[in-house]
Amino acid sequence: MIDERSRKKLILEHSRRMNAADVDGLLELYADEVTFEDPVGSGRRTGRDALRAHFEELAAAGIAEIPGEPVAGQDGVHVLVPVTATMDYLPKGPGFAERGWLAAPDTPESSRITWDYVLMMRAGAGGLIQELQMFWGRSDIGIAG
C-alpha cells in the first residue's frame, strides 16, 4: 500500500513529466508490465514499449495537461485526477476522426484538440504505476482553432 499523499504526488508528477515531454522520465514512473487503456473501451495494452509509443505520440502533438485536485482511493492503490488538456490536431487527430470521436477540422495544421478526462492510476507496492486508464467520451473532446 502507498499512502494517499504519495499517490496524489505520483499522479501529479505524471502530468508534470507529460507536459515537459519527458517520455523517459515518465516511463520511470511505470512498472515494466504496466497495462493501460486510453480511452477506456478502446482496448487494453500492456508493457512499457506500447506505453512509450503512446506517450511519444502525445508529446509530439504538444500535449498540455492541466490537472485538477487528485482523489485517492481508500484501498491504498488507486488515485484519480480530472484533467483538462489540449494538443495539436496532428498527428493523432486523424485517428480520432476516423473512429468518429470528433469531426476533422478544416485546418488540421493549425487546429488543437481539447478535452476533459479523468486519469485513474493503480500503484504497486514499489511505488510504480501498474495500471493507467483514461476515461473520456465523445462529448468530452472537441476542436479549437
Side-chain angles (χ1 to χ4, degrees):
M1 289 184 131
I2 300 170
D3 67 78
E4 288 184 17
R5 178 176 290 170
S6 296
R7 282 180 280 137
K8 289 178 178 184
K9 284 182 179 180
L10 182 63
I11 203 164
L12 293 174
E13 182 62 14
H14 171 278
S15 287
R16 188 191 72 73
R17 293 182 189 192
M18 178 63 76
N19 288 341
D22 181 5
V23 174
D24 289 332
L26 193 54
L27 290 171
E28 290 173 357
L29 302 175
Y30 287 85
D32 289 338
E33 293 303 315
V34 60
T35 61
F36 69 100
E37 193 171 13
D38 178 13
V40 168
S42 66
R44 208 176 259 294
R45 292 173 273 175
T46 302
R48 277 188 175 181
D49 289 341
L51 192 58
R52 175 181 291 282
H54 181 67
F55 287 158
E56 285 176 346
E57 284 183 326
L58 294 172
I63 192 163
E65 290 187 343
I66 301 171
E69 286 296 318
V71 177
Q74 294 184 21
D75 60 2
V77 295
H78 286 93
V79 62
L80 295 93
V81 67
V83 175
T84 298
T86 61
M87 72 178 185
D88 295 337
Y89 178 78
L90 298 174
K92 288 186 70 72
F96 290 178
E98 286 174 14
R99 290 177 183 93
W101 294 345
L102 55 79
D106 294 332
T107 56
E109 303 81 18
S110 61
S111 294
R112 298 218 9 116
I113 296 171
T114 62
W115 78 103
D116 296 312
Y117 50 88
V118 174
L119 282 177
M120 186 284 301
M121 295 179 183
R122 179 175 48 86
L128 296 177
I129 300 165
Q130 295 180 321
E131 180 181 18
L132 169 69
Q133 291 184 302
M134 294 179 66
F135 292 82
W136 56 272
R138 290 181 184 163
S139 64
D140 302 313
I141 189 170
I143 299 291

